[in-house]
């Protein structure tokens, strides 16, 4: 009896399986494309929102700076100056009392406070972003103390040298940053806690050196240096303003050139190397730029404490870490200029040096930061 065979359906099933597999793969590709498009859209939206927030915060800070500048110039004893002479006198276009009060005293003081605050804010934000530690600022790790030691030496023994105080402060800061980095290296990198402890220790050494200088200095030199060491803009001059403006321009340009490297190093050294960043050179350059900003500001106004410590975290809270370095510049300017206006005209406290008020603001924050990090380490 002839054997009958059922019709084969393997080919149909195979074709159907292939069709189903292609459909599944196409659906997966479509889903992945949709997820990618949604992610890109969210990222773009977050970027636009962050950019708008940054513009808004910058606008508010600029308005605050303008208001503080006006307050610094107008508050206290301008009744005898005609109102129509105040603005021209601010640009050096008047003579007599208006020129002396506005252009020679108040404008240099206000601009010195603004520019020094900007430099302190920039230096602190650079160190905090590079080392990823809110304690690693120039005044905490001792760089400001090194600048103060160098500037004090020049103030006592060669005060007439042109730009001598600025150059000596810069040399002292660079010497200290090299020493701190050499002593805080551990396992091929920089230990941030050791960096802070070494900086505090070297700050004490610099303070002891300054105290020794007091024992060999004359009475006039001691009085001058004491006013400077507290941190004040009382004796600001147009020469000092020029120094600060040039320092801010140069340090700001260097920071802009280092911005991409800082962004990649925030992802980790290995990934930054993979992206083509010269991590070692960028780290050294950032440390030197931050040290130069703090040193030149210190050489003009003295060590106005804690501005570099609090400017960066405030900027981070307002606009995020990516834009914190740029925003720390106007924030530092607002802090120092606002503290100076309050030091001159605040009820019950004026007149006091500007550095006293910034220390009263920054010291509690520093203690709170130490306690919080300590609790986090023991948790």
């Amino acid at each position: 009896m002839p054997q009958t065979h059922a019709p084969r359906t393997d080919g149909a099933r195979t074709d159907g399986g292939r069709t189903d597999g292609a459909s599944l793969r196409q659906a997966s590709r479509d889903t992945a494309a949709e997820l990618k498009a949604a992610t890109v859209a969210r990222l773009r939206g977050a970027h636009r929102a962050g950019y708008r927030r940054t513009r808004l915060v910058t606008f508010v800070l600029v308005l605050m700076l303008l208001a503080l500048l006006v307050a610094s110039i107008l508050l206290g004893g301008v009744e005898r100056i005609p109102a129509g002479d105040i603005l021209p006198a601010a640009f050096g276009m008047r003579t007599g009392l208006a020129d002396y009060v506005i252009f020679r005293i108040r404008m240099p003081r206000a601009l010195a406070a603004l520019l020094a605050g900007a430099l302190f804010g920039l230096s602190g934000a650079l160190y905090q972003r590079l080392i990823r530690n809110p304690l690693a600022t120039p005044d905490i790790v001792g760089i400001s103390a090194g600048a103060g030691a160098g500037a004090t030496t020049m103030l006592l023994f060669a005060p007439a040298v042109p730009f001598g105080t600025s150059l000596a402060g810069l040399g002292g800061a660079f010497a200290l940053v090299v020493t701190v980095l050499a002593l805080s290296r551990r396992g091929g990198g920089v230990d941030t806690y050791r960096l802070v402890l070494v900086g505090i220790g070297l700050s004490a050494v610099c303070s002891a050196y300054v105290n020794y200088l007091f024992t060999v200095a004359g009475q006039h030199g001691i009085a001058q240096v004491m006013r400077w060491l507290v941190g004040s803009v009382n004796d600001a001059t147009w020469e000092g303003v020029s120094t600060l403006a040039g320092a801010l321009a140069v340090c700001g340009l260097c920071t802009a050139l280092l911005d991409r490297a800082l962004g990649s190093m925030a992802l980790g050294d290995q990934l930054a190397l993979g992206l083509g960043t010269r991590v070692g050179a960028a780290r050294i350059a950032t440390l030197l730029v931050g040290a130069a900003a703090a040193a030149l500001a210190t050489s003009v106004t003295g060590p106005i404490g804690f501005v570099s410590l609090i400017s960066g975290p405030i900027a981070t809270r307002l606009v995020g870490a990516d834009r914190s370095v740029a925003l720390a510049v106007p924030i530092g300017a607002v802090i120092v200029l606002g503290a100076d206006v309050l030091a001159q005209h605040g009820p019950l406290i004026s007149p006091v040096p500007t550095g006293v008020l910034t220390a009263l603001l920054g010291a509690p924050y520093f203690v709170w930061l130490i306690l919080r990090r300590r609790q986090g380490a023991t948790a």
Side-chain angles (χ1 to χ4, degrees):
M1 183 174 180
Q3 190 174 4
T4 60
H5 298 281
R8 293 182 59 87
T9 59
D10 294 346
R13 287 197 299 271
T14 301
D15 293 341
R18 289 174 181 171
T19 303
D20 292 342
S23 299
L24 288 174
R25 286 192 296 272
Q26 182 63 37
S28 299
R29 284 193 294 268
D30 293 341
T31 303
E34 291 175 0
L35 288 175
K36 181 180 179 181
T39 302
V40 171
R42 284 196 297 269
L43 289 175
R44 286 177 177 173
H47 178 75
R48 286 194 295 267
Y51 182 68
R52 288 194 298 268
R53 184 180 180 87
T54 302
R55 286 194 302 175
L56 176 61
V57 172
T58 303
F59 178 73
V60 172
L61 289 172
V62 170
L63 289 181
M64 292 176 65
L65 284 174
L66 292 175
L68 289 170
L69 273 174
V70 172
S72 180
I73 293 171
L74 295 184
L75 288 179
V78 294
E79 294 83 2
R80 293 189 297 171
I81 300 175
D85 289 345
I86 292 177
L87 185 60
F91 294 94
M93 299 170 61
R94 288 293 184 270
T95 58
L97 182 63
D99 175 75
Y100 179 75
V101 173
I102 302 297
F103 187 73
R104 299 186 184 277
I105 295 179
R106 297 198 177 181
M107 280 295 293
R109 176 171 186 149
L111 292 177
L114 187 154
L115 293 170
L119 285 168
F120 282 126
L122 175 63
S123 64
L126 280 174
Y127 274 59
Q128 288 166 344
R129 187 172 182 188
L130 176 68
I131 304 176
R132 295 189 290 276
N133 188 326
L135 297 176
T137 59
D139 48 354
I140 300 301
V141 302
I143 294 170
S144 297
T152 300
T153 303
M154 187 61 65
L155 279 172
L156 289 176
F157 298 111
V161 176
F163 297 100
T165 304
S166 300
L167 294 175
L170 196 62
F174 283 168
L176 201 80
V177 72
V178 170
T179 306
V180 168
L181 289 176
L183 295 177
S184 59
R185 293 188 66 83
R186 185 178 184 180
V190 175
D191 187 312
T192 56
Y193 286 102
R194 180 179 290 185
L195 183 143
V196 172
L197 292 176
V198 169
I200 292 173
L202 290 178
S203 294
V205 172
C206 292
S207 298
Y209 169 72
V210 171
N211 291 334
Y212 167 74
L213 291 180
F214 284 168
T215 64
V216 298
Q219 193 67 32
H220 175 71
I222 291 177
Q224 181 183 8
V225 171
M226 282 299 294
R227 288 195 302 270
W228 181 84
L229 283 176
V230 175
S232 175
V233 291
N234 285 339
D235 300 324
T237 63
W238 282 109
E239 178 184 341
V241 170
S242 300
T243 300
L244 293 172
L248 183 60
V250 173
C251 292
L253 176 61
C254 293
T255 301
L257 295 175
L258 290 168
D259 183 67
R260 183 183 178 195
L262 288 171
S264 62
M265 286 191 293
L267 304 174
D269 289 355
Q270 295 300 323
L271 185 55
L273 287 170
L275 293 173
T277 302
R278 299 175 60 186
V279 173
R283 180 175 288 113
I284 292 174
T286 303
L287 291 171
L288 292 179
V289 170
L296 290 169
T298 301
S299 68
V300 175
T301 65
I304 299 179
F306 296 103
V307 179
S308 59
L309 179 70
I310 62 179
S311 299
I314 292 174
T316 301
R317 286 184 178 274
L318 289 175
V319 297
D322 291 341
R323 302 177 178 89
S324 62
V325 175
L327 201 70
V329 173
I331 288 175
V334 167
I335 291 173
V336 176
L337 185 55
D340 185 57
V341 172
L342 190 61
Q344 294 181 78
H345 310 290
L348 304 178
I349 59 173
S350 63
V352 294
T354 308
V356 173
L357 291 183
T358 59
L360 289 175
L361 175 68
Y365 173 78
F366 176 65
V367 173
W368 172 79
L369 192 61
I370 289 286
L371 293 176
R372 191 184 70 169
R373 292 183 66 84
R374 191 174 183 180
Q375 291 172 356
T378 57

